[in-house]
């Protein structure tokens, strides 16, 4: 079991390093056996988090995403509404101050069974 955990950690580290080194706008953490978003990733990505517009977290075992995730990656543009709608335990998602595309704003509300908090289109986060 420890070997599998080590392999999963190495896979996440490799994928994060690829994103940082390539300057990509995509962070692909699909199939990494994540149960939460690793805290260490925030430090590694601190200089490039603003350029990441797509994060793939498919096929993991995530139970939640913290507010730190949402504030660190506040520039995400696309929300996989159909995947969120298929999460029966999801009760709420806060996507305020993200530049969501118009399709998400129109399509999401009738499809989802949870609270999806969004800011008005074009709204900016208050300055700290």
């Amino acid at each position: 079991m420890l070997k599998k955990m080590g392999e999963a950690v190495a896979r996440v580290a490799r994928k994060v390093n690829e994103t940082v080194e390539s300057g990509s706008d995509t962070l692909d953490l699909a199939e990494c056996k994540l149960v939460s978003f690793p805290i260490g990733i925030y430090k590694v990505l601190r200089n490039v988090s603003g350029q990441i517009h797509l994060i793939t977290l498919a096929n993991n075992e995530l139970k939640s995403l913290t507010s730190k995730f949402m504030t660190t990656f506040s520039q995400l543009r696309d929300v996989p509404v159909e995947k969120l709608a298929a999460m029966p335990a999801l009760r709420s998602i806060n996507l305020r101050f993200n530049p969501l595309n118009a399709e998400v704003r129109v399509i999401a509300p009738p499809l989802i069974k949870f609270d999806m908090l969004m800011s008005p289109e074009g709204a900016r986060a208050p300055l700290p």
Side-chain angles (χ1 to χ4, degrees), residues 33-79:
K33 298 182 172 90
L34 296 174
V35 293
S36 65
F37 196 80
I39 299 297
I41 290 179
Y42 296 113
K43 283 189 175 188
V44 175
L45 294 174
R46 72 178 167 263
N47 294 326
V48 297
S49 64
Q51 71 191 35
I52 295 175
H53 293 113
L54 175 65
I55 300 176
T56 303
L57 296 169
N59 299 317
N60 282 292
E61 298 170 25
L62 291 167
K63 303 290 184 225
S64 68
L65 290 172
T66 65
S67 60
K68 183 165 181 78
F69 178 89
M70 295 302 174
T71 56
T72 300
F73 300 108
S74 62
Q75 69 291 345
L76 297 178
R77 293 186 179 143
D78 218 358
V79 177

Side-chain angles (χ1 to χ4, degrees), residues 14-28 44-45 47-54 75:
R14 188 171 48 255
K15 288 183 165 208
V16 169
N17 285 336
E18 287 172 4
T19 298
V20 171
E21 290 172 7
S22 70
S24 175
D25 69 345
T26 300
L27 175 60
D28 181 1
V44 175
L45 294 174
N47 294 326
V48 297
S49 64
Q51 71 191 35
I52 295 175
H53 293 113
L54 175 65
Q75 69 291 345

